[in-house]
Amino acid sequence: MADAVVLVSGGAAVTPFTDTDRAAASGLAAGNTMTALRQHLRTAGAAVFTAPARIGAGTVERDAGWQGFDDVPVVLPAELTINAVGSIDVAGGSLAAFLRWLSTEHGLRSVDLVGHSMGGLFSRAAIRELAGDGPRVERLVTLGTPWDGSVLGDLLDGEITEDDAHGDPATGQIFAEARPYAAANSEGAAAEVSRRFLRGWNQAQAGVLDGIPVTVIGAGYFSAATEPSQLWPHDGLVSLCSGRADHVPAAVLPRVTRHSFAAHVHSIFFAEAFGLPWERALTWDPTVFAVVDDALGR
């Protein structure tokens, strides 16, 4: 069993650094992605950390946005903080630096990584960057990670179009909000979560995950149509087949266990937007946590 679990949030997420005992003192303790999963792991007795992340370069002291946080007791420097709207590889470099810092400061020889959304891609890039220089990564778990493209990236890239929504009001709403959101927030991330980009990036990652058991968890609450499978069903941001890495070659992903949650959405943001309980989000549901526990051998 690894010495600790490190939680890695995804694109456009703002997350404070937390350790087993210290977290944001007001608001959601580990941000609106990882708070519930962190608490579950703490209750189970795991040593758990969250990697700091923000929109743009800099440090994480608070999040004044939706379901944010304040009063962060430990603010790490910018070079250890993920820019969650930038390049996957740059974010992975920051995560690798953070993991090396954890190893030095907390004496960790090995870690399990649990990444939500783009956090799974950041984790993969970090594993490549570590290359034996830092704590050993024992296992990787991804929740709603766009292994093979995302709704946002594929829409912006023209891989899917508004016609592919087939008149579904929820998917149409997601499409309508995607373009202005990416224009306002992305510093490169949106262009790197298309199927076109990730298929080339995946080829360059061949061999990185050799020897590391990977568990991938996808969701597909939005299921008004069946084609194209690149989109349907989807969790709001990632299709079920992409979240499950169904079309990622074995050279890239040699040891994989796949799980599906057909009634779940990507995050509590989507749960809130579509009138669902937060427990229908991948990082907020105890039934998903049970799969994570099993994947981590806990």
Side-chain angles (χ1 to χ4, degrees):
M1 186 176 293
D3 293 338
V5 181
V6 177
L7 305 181
V8 186
S9 55
V14 183
T15 304
F17 165 70
T18 75
D19 58 25
T20 299
D21 300 314
R22 297 172 296 180
S26 58
L28 293 178
N32 61 38
T33 300
M34 292 301 191
T35 292
L37 180 54
R38 171 182 179 268
Q39 185 56 47
H40 166 80
L41 291 166
R42 289 179 70 235
T43 300
V48 57
F49 299 83
T50 57
R54 54 167 284 142
I55 297 174
T59 60
V60 183
E61 300 176 22
R62 64 185 57 83
D63 176 16
W66 182 78
Q67 300 297 335
F69 55 84
D70 205 342
D71 302 316
V72 175
V74 180
V75 177
L76 296 183
E79 59 267 24
L80 304 182
T81 301
I82 295 166
N83 177 359
V85 294
S87 161
I88 294 168
D89 289 326
V90 172
S94 298
L95 176 58
F98 169 72
L99 293 173
R100 292 187 190 103
W101 177 84
L102 278 183
S103 181
T104 300
E105 294 296 317
H106 294 269
L108 303 182
R109 294 170 298 174
S110 61
V111 296
D112 292 329
L113 299 180
V114 180
H116 174 249
S117 194
M118 285 189 78
L121 301 178
F122 302 157
S123 295
R124 293 173 60 196
I127 293 168
R128 184 196 68 228
E129 288 296 312
L130 286 173
D133 178 21
R136 182 176 65 256
V137 176
E138 296 280 4
R139 302 171 185 84
L140 171 64
V141 179
T142 67
L143 305 163
T145 288
W147 284 82
D148 195 34
S150 69
V151 173
L152 172 62
D154 290 341
L155 181 66
L156 295 176
D157 199 40
E159 290 282 298
I160 56 176
T161 70
E162 281 79 359
D163 290 342
D164 292 322
H166 297 294
D168 175 52
T171 302
Q173 178 182 335
I174 292 166
F175 279 12
E177 295 174 0
R179 295 182 192 276
Y181 182 83
N185 293 284
S186 179
E187 297 178 7
E192 295 190 1
V193 285
S194 70
R195 173 180 283 192
R196 193 189 316 272
F197 176 88
L198 285 170
R199 288 201 164 173
W201 188 80
N202 280 335
Q203 288 180 349
Q205 295 288 114
V208 170
L209 295 175
D210 287 359
I212 299 177
V214 179
T215 300
V216 296
I217 301 171
Y221 173 80
F222 301 98
S223 55
T226 57
E227 295 294 335
S229 60
Q230 185 172 348
L231 172 63
W232 296 100
H234 63 88
D235 66 8
L237 275 184
V238 178
S239 70
L240 179 62
C241 69
S242 181
R244 284 171 41 91
D246 285 340
H247 302 298
V248 175
V252 176
L253 190 54
R255 297 181 61 185
V256 60
T257 303
R258 296 179 168 91
H259 294 271
S260 303
F261 284 84
H264 286 61
V265 293
H266 193 75
S267 65
I268 62 171
F269 178 84
F270 285 93
E272 187 84 6
F274 293 98
L276 301 170
W278 285 7
E279 289 78 12
R280 294 287 286 280
L282 282 174
T283 61
W284 222 268
D285 181 10
T287 63
V288 178
F289 298 167
V291 172
V292 175
D293 288 342
D294 184 60
L296 300 181
R298 295 183 177 273

